């Protein structure tokens, strides 16, 4: 049931094969035409100067562009609209409901085990107790030491001007953190409802309260831009938070969110009172919606006029309460800050002709997965959500959020969403064969060292069965890690043992770690490990 596809462009694999991929229980099929191109000469981007003798003077041209256009990026060629299972749910309704309720509870829940930032019961017993307070204080102190270039054994970081950070730089940040407020002997760690808040804009989450970047050695491949070691993640508009600390200058807040703990710009957060929390929770319980269109504008109309006020832009995966207006049209609620930095509710009517926001949980079908993927594919890579773009784990989180499936922030933790198979000790052939045999298309996560991707199914290239993936990836590198063939975005890419475009590049299936996790009915904790949420210092994951 494969389909003939258009003839390939120049440099695309000459022989086109009819390929089939099981979408649901090996019934639905995927087809593709684009395989690897013929071998090409590696450019001067891999060369280094042999005339310079000092490391500081030696130029290293260690970045080249990987020609991703050699591989078919048309989502419909891989998730076929004419496949029998295109509109069939990939998990049962009961299982999707279970996962969605866990998702919603993580944001707005009130039960003792609900790890919501607005849940005083959970905060008091799991985060604000003596053990939690000590962990938060210790993690912040460790972060300061990690970026102190004057400390022994610390890996040196540099600013955007290629100069190493000075001791005065880190001391100023440390002073602004006012770490004494995090000391259990000085801090009042009792739950305080006045510390609750909500994001009114997109908020970058920083390791320390500074907008300054911290890059490692620019001359090393996979370092320098965009890998700001201080950049951790991003919070979307309408995310509940709890403030743990405030910087001395008032510009930064250390917040607990449903996903992680980190510093955010204070201007992105508004305070919430009991009335706002009750209104927002009730609305979210009646109906929660998810943004499924890239860069959706949130704007409201000035009462009594036709004038609209732009508030912010919501990325895919943003979740907001939905309701129905008096005229029957659907509206979405979002928060804005008043002049006192208190949150107030605003609404926006949805255009019935577009589907920028969908009621959660959206039916988890190949059609709907493809619809979201089409909005995301081709967008740039953003380490830790740099410039509010996704990295690998933010991509999978955003993709699954509309369906009510919550995934943790870091790639290694996301494997908890499904049934795991550890293939660390297996060779590449065994890994790829196991993935092809045990993986469920669109429902299998693949984790390698610091990177995660989604399995789409299998294709045939040169007579070999090859797993296809959807991923947001920085690039490919050789075994000596001396350079990068940069992809730099969300793409569809086969898991090959070698890539003709760069025969020296390591296969992504050949890294030290290789695990797969199949998301299905009742095979994982739907809400993740709630206790794990209080971790304030997840080890850094190195980018690909």
């Amino acid at each position: 049931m494969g389909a003939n596809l258009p003839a390939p462009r120049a440099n695309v694999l000459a022989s086109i094969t009819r390929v089939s991929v099981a979408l649901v229980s090996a019934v639905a099929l995927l087809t593709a035409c684009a395989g690897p191109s013929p071998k090409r000469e590696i450019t001067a981007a891999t060369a280094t100067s042999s005339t310079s003798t000092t490391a500081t003077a030696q130029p290293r041209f260690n970045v080249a562009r990987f020609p991703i256009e050699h591989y078919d990026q048309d989502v419909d060629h891989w998730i076929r609209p004419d496949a029998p299972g295109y509109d069939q749910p990939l998990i049962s309704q009961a299982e999707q409901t279970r996962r969605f309720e866990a998702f919603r509870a993580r944001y707005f829940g009130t039960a003792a085990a609900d790890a919501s930032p607005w849940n005083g019961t959970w905060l008091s017993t799991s985060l604000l107790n003596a053990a939690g307070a000590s962990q938060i204080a210790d993690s912040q102190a460790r972060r300061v030491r990690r970026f102190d270039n004057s400390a022994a054994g610390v890996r040196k970081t540099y600013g955007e001007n290629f100069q190493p950070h000075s001791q005065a730089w880190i001391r100023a940040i440390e002073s602004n953190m006012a770490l004494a407020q995090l000391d259990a002997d000085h801090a009042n760690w009792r739950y305080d409802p006045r510390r609750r808040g909500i994001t009114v804009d997109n908020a970058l989450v920083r390791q320390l309260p500074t907008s300054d970047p911290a890059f490692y050695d620019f001359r090393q491949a996979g370092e320098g831009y965009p890998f700001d070691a201080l950049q951790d993640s991003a919070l979307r508009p309408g995310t509940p938070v709890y403030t743990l600390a405030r910087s001395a200058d008032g510009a930064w807040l250390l917040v607990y969110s449903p996903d992680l703990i980190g510093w955010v710009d204070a201007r992105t957060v508004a305070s919430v009172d009991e009335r706002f929390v009750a209104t927002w929770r009730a609305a979210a319980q009646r109906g929660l919606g998810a943004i499924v269109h890239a860069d959706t504008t949130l704007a409201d109309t000035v009462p009594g006029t036709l004038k609209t006020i732009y508030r912010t832009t919501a990325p895919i995966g943003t979740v907001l309460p939905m309701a129905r207006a008096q005229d029957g049209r659907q509206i979405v609620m979002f928060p804005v800050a008043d002049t006192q930095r208190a949150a107030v509710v605003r609404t926006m009517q949805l255009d019935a002709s577009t589907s920028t926001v969908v009621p959660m949980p959206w039916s988890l079908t190949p059609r709907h997965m493809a619809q979201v993927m089409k909005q995301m594919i081709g967008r740039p890579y953003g380490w830790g959500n740099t410039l509010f773009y996704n990295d690998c784990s933010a991509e999978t989180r955003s993709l699954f959020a509309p369906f009510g499936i919550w995934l943790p922030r870091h790639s290694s933790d996301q494997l908890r969403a499904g049934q795991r198979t550890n293939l660390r000790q297996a060779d590449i052939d065994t890994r790829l064969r196991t993935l092809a045999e045990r993986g469920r298309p669109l429902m299998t996560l693949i984790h390698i060292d610091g990177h995660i991707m989604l399995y789409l199914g299998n294709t045939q290239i040169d007579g070999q069965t090859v797993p296809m993936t959807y991923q947001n990836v920085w690039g490919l590198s050789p075994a000596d890690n001396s350079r990068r063939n940069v992809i730099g975005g969300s793409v569809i890419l086969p898991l090959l043992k070698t890539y003709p475009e760069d025969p020296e590049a390591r296969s992504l299936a050949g890294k030290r770690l290789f695990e797969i996790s199949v998301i299905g009915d009742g095979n994982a904790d739907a809400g993740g490990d709630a206790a794990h949420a209080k971790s304030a210092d997840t080890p850094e994951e190195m980018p690909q």
Side-chain angles (χ1 to χ4, degrees):
M1 287 184 287
N4 292 324
L5 301 178
R9 296 186 294 268
N11 293 326
V12 180
L13 183 66
S15 59
I16 305 174
T17 57
R18 293 168 61 89
V19 297
S20 61
V21 180
L23 265 178
V24 184
S25 304
V27 175
L29 303 177
L30 299 172
T31 305
C33 67
S37 70
K39 294 183 180 180
R40 64 175 178 81
E41 180 180 353
I42 304 301
T43 70
T46 63
T48 59
S49 170
S50 60
T51 59
S52 177
T53 59
T54 63
T56 55
Q58 181 179 5
R60 294 189 62 175
F61 304 106
N62 53 23
V63 174
R65 176 186 172 276
F66 185 87
I68 191 62
E69 63 273 12
H70 291 179
Y71 300 92
D72 194 343
Q73 299 300 300
D74 186 343
V75 173
D76 284 342
H77 288 178
W78 301 104
I79 307 176
R80 290 183 39 138
D82 60 353
Y86 196 60
D87 289 303
Q88 294 298 314
L90 294 164
I91 57 176
S92 70
Q93 183 177 351
E95 176 66 11
Q96 189 173 8
T97 298
R98 182 180 77 90
R99 289 180 181 264
F100 172 57
E101 291 305 325
F103 184 113
R104 182 158 50 188
R106 194 170 195 95
Y107 277 69
F108 312 111
T110 58
D114 293 343
S116 164
W118 291 350
N119 187 357
T121 301
W122 184 87
L123 286 169
S124 297
T125 58
S126 299
L127 192 65
L128 301 180
N129 56 17
S134 176
Q135 183 183 32
I136 293 168
D138 290 347
S139 72
Q140 293 301 305
R142 287 196 304 272
R143 290 183 181 186
V144 171
R145 291 193 297 271
R146 176 184 165 195
F147 293 98
D148 184 354
N149 282 345
S150 65
V154 169
R155 191 179 179 196
K156 186 174 292 187
T157 60
Y158 301 80
E160 69 280 6
N161 60 355
F162 292 83
Q163 303 303 313
H165 287 128
S166 66
Q167 188 174 12
W169 174 81
I170 191 62
R171 294 287 83 83
I173 294 173
E174 182 180 25
S175 175
N176 195 35
M177 292 172 72
L179 289 175
Q181 68 183 303
L182 297 174
D183 192 317
D185 293 333
H186 298 87
N188 179 4
W189 285 101
R190 290 179 298 178
Y191 168 71
D192 183 353
R194 295 171 299 178
R195 289 176 173 260
R196 292 176 298 183
I198 193 168
T199 54
V200 293
D201 202 349
N202 293 288
L204 292 177
V205 181
R206 306 288 289 167
Q207 294 272 341
L208 296 176
T210 179
S211 296
D212 295 343
F215 299 114
Y216 293 121
D217 193 341
F218 289 83
R219 297 163 298 173
Q220 301 299 318
E223 298 182 4
Y225 180 85
F227 302 111
D228 174 6
L230 283 168
Q231 180 54 39
D232 201 358
S233 186
L235 303 181
R236 302 175 175 96
T239 302
V241 298
Y242 183 86
T243 297
L244 301 167
R246 183 184 296 270
S247 64
D249 62 7
W252 296 89
L253 303 176
L254 180 66
V255 300
Y256 166 66
S257 76
D259 304 306
L260 76 169
I261 291 173
W263 293 90
V264 300
D265 188 322
R267 294 171 296 185
T268 64
V269 176
S271 63
V272 296
D273 58 18
E274 197 62 45
R275 180 179 180 182
F276 181 94
V277 169
T279 299
W280 199 265
R281 272 182 174 154
Q285 190 63 36
R286 288 192 299 268
L288 200 60
I291 302 291
V292 294
H293 194 280
D295 299 329
T296 295
T297 296
L298 297 182
D300 58 298
T301 304
V302 177
T305 74
L306 298 177
K307 181 180 178 180
T308 59
I309 302 176
Y310 168 82
R311 301 296 184 175
T312 188
T313 299
I316 291 173
T318 300
V319 295
L320 298 167
M322 293 185 73
R324 195 166 291 279
Q326 292 181 347
D327 61 4
R329 287 192 295 178
Q330 283 192 319
I331 61 174
V332 63
M333 298 167 54
F334 59 91
V336 301
D338 66 14
T339 56
Q340 303 301 313
R341 300 302 304 170
V344 294
V345 176
R346 291 289 183 265
T347 61
M348 180 178 71
Q349 288 193 335
L350 301 177
D351 188 342
S353 64
T354 63
S355 56
T356 57
V357 186
V358 297
M360 294 176 67
W362 207 20
S363 179
L364 184 49
T365 64
R367 177 190 294 274
H368 291 159
M369 286 282 281
Q371 185 171 329
V372 180
M373 205 175 291
K374 288 175 184 178
Q375 287 290 315
M376 299 171 67
I377 194 167
R379 294 176 66 82
Y381 177 93
W383 165 252
N385 290 114
T386 294
L387 299 177
F388 296 108
Y389 291 119
N390 286 340
D391 58 15
C392 64
S393 55
E395 190 81 5
T396 49
R397 292 178 68 232
S398 299
L399 182 61
F400 278 97
F403 307 104
I405 296 178
W406 181 85
L407 295 178
R409 165 67 186 97
H410 292 285
S411 58
S412 56
D413 295 331
Q414 291 187 357
L415 295 181
R416 297 200 308 271
Q419 184 67 43
R420 299 166 65 164
T421 300
N422 189 340
L423 297 169
R424 178 172 182 164
Q425 303 302 324
D427 58 27
I428 294 180
D429 289 324
T430 301
R431 290 173 171 184
L432 295 179
R433 184 175 63 254
T434 303
L435 174 61
E437 293 174 352
R438 300 186 188 177
R440 288 189 63 210
L442 303 181
M443 298 300 287
T444 302
L445 298 173
I446 309 161
H447 175 249
I448 62 175
D449 301 22
H451 183 60
I452 199 154
M453 58 194 109
L454 179 69
Y455 170 66
L456 296 182
N458 306 322
T459 187
Q460 294 289 318
I461 296 180
D462 293 338
Q464 300 294 318
T465 298
V466 176
M468 296 298 298
T469 67
Y470 175 80
Q471 56 182 300
N472 199 323
V473 62
W474 181 241
L476 304 176
S477 62
D480 63 5
N481 210 36
S482 61
R483 56 184 174 80
R484 286 292 188 279
N485 226 337
V486 173
I487 295 171
S490 50
V491 297
I492 294 170
L493 188 69
L495 278 185
L496 299 177
K497 293 178 67 174
T498 59
Y499 290 87
E501 292 83 0
D502 187 353
E504 295 179 1
R506 289 176 297 176
S507 169
L508 293 178
K511 298 298 183 72
R512 180 177 61 93
L513 299 178
F514 192 91
E515 289 185 274
I516 63 175
S517 177
V518 181
I519 301 173
D521 286 5
N523 62 5
D525 182 359
D529 180 2
H532 186 81
K534 67 182 180 182
S535 173
D537 202 17
T538 302
E540 177 188 19
E541 297 191 338
M542 296 308 297
Q544 297 305 311

